Amino acid sequence: MAHGDDTYNLKEVLVTFKSCLNDKQEILMDPYLEGWKGLVSFLNTMGAIFSFVSKDAVSKIQIMEDFRSSDQKDHYETLQSMVSYELKNGLVDLKKTGVYPTSGCRTILRLHRALHWLQLFLESLRTSNSESRTSLLCIDSYNASLANYHPWIIRKAATMAFYALPARETFLENMKVGTIEEAVAMLGEALPSIVQIYDITQALYAQHNLLDLP
Ligand code: 1PW
């Protein structure tokens, strides 16, 4: 787990995502949210300009934690149990926002889309070289993924924040996993677990036609 900015280590965060899967290949909500909290701490080490980006993730994590401490908490133990519970009980706005603007299904979908961006970004960082500009890698991966779901004004603000990203070396050092080479090697080892979580969630949402929830 990530413990806060000073003891922060991105490897632990990515390993947390690995611990999300139970033996039935279901995604456990608590470590999923814990992994997200670690990503937010990481993001916050990059300066105040990112608070706009992390704030939305924080409020979505909170929505899900509230479900996990409610009377319905057992239904939210895994992403799979959440989907079947909410669908069975008509707790999801399927076509347009109405009675359930903060359903678990639509909230996790937003985090899931953001996870795809993170995956593309870290993968491009891993395979980049010392000449590469972090901000451009980040913008390219954002445009190829999450930006497609954002209105112009958010895209503009996010892109401006990305220009403030530190240089590649500083960024990799910020991960607090040792030298630059060690950070790159860690990404190679840890990213497959993010990909796996992403793929399982994507298949679950596709199976239930939930990929376009308003
Ligand atoms: C380097 C580490 C990266 C960690 C990823 C951080 C999460 C990125 C979230 C970007 C959010 C930009 C501003 C908020 C936009 C919301 O409108 C949007 N949320 C997301 C996560 O895309 C959609 O949510 P909404 O408005 O439908 O509730």
Side-chain angles (χ1 to χ4, degrees):
M1 312 294 127
H3 302 291
D5 294 355
D6 46 346
T7 55
Y8 179 80
N9 167 338
L10 189 67
K11 180 173 182 164
E12 288 181 33
V13 176
L14 298 183
V15 166
T16 306
F17 277 104
K18 198 171 183 171
S19 71
C20 282
L21 285 183
N22 69 11
D23 50 11
K24 289 189 266 175
Q25 297 289 98
E26 293 166 337
I27 299 168
L28 297 163
M29 188 70 76
D30 294 341
Y32 184 88
L33 298 177
E34 207 54 49
W36 262 105
K37 284 188 187 172
L39 291 178
V40 167
S41 309
F42 177 55
L43 205 59
N44 287 343
T45 65
M46 284 183 266
I49 192 146
F50 279 95
S51 63
F52 143 78
V53 173
S54 62
K55 230 156 102 188
D56 185 67
V58 168
S59 75
K60 291 189 165 48
I61 294 165
Q62 187 62 51
I63 291 170
M64 297 316 301
E65 288 192 327
D66 289 348
F67 282 125
R68 282 296 286 152
S69 53
S70 71
D71 291 346
Q72 313 306 325
K73 59 176 174 289
D74 293 348
H75 297 299
Y76 290 86
E77 192 175 341
T78 67
L79 266 55
Q80 285 76 3
S81 63
M82 170 192 78
V83 166
S84 59
Y85 167 71
E86 288 195 342
L87 288 182
K88 208 185 284 168
N89 292 282
L91 299 173
V92 186
D93 292 334
L94 296 171
K95 295 273 174 266
K96 58 182 173 65
T97 307
V99 194
Y100 303 106
T102 55
S103 66
C105 285
R106 68 93 62 195
T107 302
I108 289 290
L109 177 62
R110 270 58 183 178
L111 292 176
H112 167 68
R113 289 169 176 166
L115 199 62
H116 190 221
W117 161 46
L118 181 78
Q119 170 199 324
L120 295 178
F121 172 47
L122 292 180
E123 181 58 23
S124 72
L125 192 71
R126 185 182 79 82
T127 54
S128 64
N129 60 44
S130 56
E131 311 286 294
S132 307
R133 285 186 57 193
T134 322
S135 49
L136 297 186
L137 297 177
C138 186
I139 291 166
D140 283 350
S141 43
Y142 173 73
N143 285 338
S145 56
L146 195 56
N148 294 308
Y149 304 101
H150 287 167
W152 180 85
I153 186 75
I154 302 254
R155 289 206 303 267
K156 180 107 183 142
T159 305
M160 276 168 65
F162 297 154
Y163 275 114
L165 274 176
R168 182 176 180 273
E169 294 199 352
T170 315
F171 191 93
L172 288 166
E173 281 165 4
N174 247 348
M175 294 182 183
K176 304 273 186 267
V177 285
T179 64
I180 288 167
E181 291 73 22
E182 284 166 337
V184 168
M186 179 282 286
L187 286 177
E189 286 164 33
L191 275 174
S193 52
I194 295 268
V195 174
Q196 195 181 19
I197 297 299
Y198 177 82
D199 288 347
I200 293 174
T201 311
Q202 182 73 10
L204 174 72
Y205 271 66
Q207 183 195 343
H208 294 279
N209 282 322
L210 299 175
L211 286 167
D212 297 312
L213 288 181

